[in-house]
Amino acid sequence: MIEVIGVKFKPAGKMYYFDPIDSAIEAGTKVIVETARGVECGEAIMPNTMVSEESIVGALKPILRLASESDMEIYYANREKEKEALEICAKKIEKHKLLMKLVDVEYTFDGNKILFYFTADGRIDFRELVKDLASVFRTRIELRQIGVRDEAKMLGGLGICGRPFCCSSFLGDFQPVSIKMAKEQGLSLNPTKISGSCGRLMCCLKYEQDVYEELLKITPKVGALVRYGKERAVVTEANIFTGKLSIRPEKEPDAAVKAVNRSEVRLIKDAKITLSDSELKELKNLEE
């Protein structure tokens, strides 16, 4: 076991482990640390905690110091500089007539690098833009192309549920979300109903997927062939939460359906959850 603290650099960003160097650091404390991007100011969101060495990825770096008042002055000054840099870069992009959308700007704490985040439909030749920005700011310039999910995370907003975006409020990492999840959860496959403001599948489809997968393992799907008593029957309706099934005799399609519990039937052949070619064509972009 090894003692660490957890530090975040953005409210909904990833948490990184650092060595507290025998200091007792409380959650909410601002600390100065060295990262791959340079010296940064972050917030300790996890106080001194013992974790297994296997959970440490790479070398565990020590904190440099607790943030002082002068450090915080630099931190807030950088936030103001970012607003100015955003306006300057937007004008430079217009000047160079580049088909890119500027999303956000970040100054490293030590001011040795400025990162400009942008979205674009394809690859952009921004070499002249970088030279132009370097001549203005006199420091290292990095332009980083991001996807639409990252753009939504940075800009924030309200989802169709009326709450702030999950990605910008608490999700540290994006989880893979697939059309199969929406199908298994019995949701409408209308793109406007299952996609977020970013135009991709809603992250919340992932939240209950484990429960659906467990219940689907013990509940025959619609179209499945089951044995009920001595007869073979086809499932016409299924409620995975209550376990209630509607079945009809296999060779009597016009017969009245019968309501049974999943514990009363034995599965002979389950049905597969599939998507038609038209559904795949319409929904293929939502997973990208």
Side-chain angles (χ1 to χ4, degrees), residues 96 98 100 124-134 143:
H96 289 277
L98 296 173
M100 54 193 289
I124 301 292
D125 184 355
F126 48 69
R127 287 174 292 183
E128 293 302 317
L129 175 61
V130 171
K131 292 178 183 178
D132 209 351
L133 292 172
L143 268 74

Side-chain angles (χ1 to χ4, degrees), residues 232-234 248-254:
R232 291 158 62 99
V234 176
R248 62 166 174 77
E250 179 187 13
K251 297 181 180 180
E252 300 178 39
D254 296 327

Side-chain angles (χ1 to χ4, degrees), residues 9-10 13 16-17 20 69-70 83 85-86 101 111 124 168 177 183 192 203 227 230 255 257:
F9 302 99
K10 292 183 177 180
Y16 299 90
Y17 289 146
E69 288 187 12
S70 59
K83 298 176 183 177
L86 190 71
K101 177 185 176 184
I124 301 292
S168 63
V177 186
K183 188 80 171 179
T192 61
C203 294
R227 183 172 295 282
K230 295 182 179 181
V257 297

Side-chain angles (χ1 to χ4, degrees), residues 257-272:
V257 297
K258 183 179 296 185
V260 300
N261 192 280
R262 63 184 164 214
S263 61
E264 300 177 77
V265 303
R266 182 170 62 85
L267 181 65
I268 298 175
K269 184 180 179 181
D270 206 358
K272 291 184 178 180

Side-chain angles (χ1 to χ4, degrees), residues 42-231:
E43 180 177 346
I45 63 164
M46 184 180 79
N48 299 55
T49 305
M50 302 300 292
V51 300
S52 63
E53 294 187 15
E54 291 76 16
S55 63
I56 306 295
V57 179
L60 184 66
K61 293 186 177 182
I63 63 168
L64 299 180
R65 61 182 181 275
L66 299 182
S68 63
E69 288 187 12
S70 59
D71 287 330
M72 294 310 300
E73 289 176 2
I74 294 173
Y75 174 81
Y76 292 118
N78 285 341
R79 302 291 81 78
E80 293 301 316
K81 290 179 182 178
E82 289 168 356
K83 298 176 183 177
E84 180 183 358
L86 190 71
E87 295 179 3
I88 292 173
C89 186
K91 292 178 181 178
K92 297 294 183 183
I93 290 173
E94 185 177 355
K95 171 188 171 184
H96 289 277
K97 298 180 179 179
L98 296 173
L99 298 178
M100 54 193 289
K101 177 185 176 184
L102 185 63
V103 176
D104 199 11
V105 180
E106 283 185 12
Y107 265 77
T108 57
F109 177 77
D110 53 17
N112 286 336
K113 183 192 293 186
I114 309 175
L115 294 94
F116 295 87
Y117 297 92
F118 71 95
T119 59
D121 290 334
R123 298 188 64 179
I124 301 292
D125 184 355
F126 48 69
R127 287 174 292 183
E128 293 302 317
L129 175 61
V130 171
K131 292 178 183 178
D132 209 351
L133 292 172
S135 67
V136 173
F137 296 105
R138 302 291 181 179
T139 189
R140 289 178 59 195
I141 301 295
E142 181 178 332
L143 268 74
R144 188 172 297 177
Q145 188 169 355
I146 61 175
V148 289
R149 286 187 184 274
D150 295 299
E151 179 185 11
K153 185 180 182 72
M154 287 182 173
L155 298 180
L158 297 178
I160 59 174
C161 58
R163 296 179 62 84
F165 293 161
C166 296
C167 59
S168 63
S169 54
F170 65 87
L171 283 183
D173 290 309
F174 289 111
Q175 298 294 321
V177 186
S178 68
I179 292 296
K180 181 185 175 185
M181 293 180 182
K183 188 80 171 179
E184 289 180 338
Q185 294 176 27
L187 301 176
S188 166
L189 296 185
N190 183 335
T192 61
K193 298 283 184 69
I194 58 176
S195 58
S197 300
C198 61
R200 299 295 183 263
L201 289 171
M202 293 188 295
C203 294
C204 53
L205 291 178
K206 179 71 175 177
Y207 299 165
E208 298 177 352
Q209 182 60 21
D210 291 343
V211 175
Y212 277 94
E213 289 179 355
E214 288 301 314
L215 292 175
L216 284 169
K217 288 178 182 178
I218 61 173
T219 307
K221 303 177 184 68
V222 173
L225 184 62
V226 298
R227 183 172 295 282
Y228 176 68
K230 295 182 179 181
E231 66 179 16

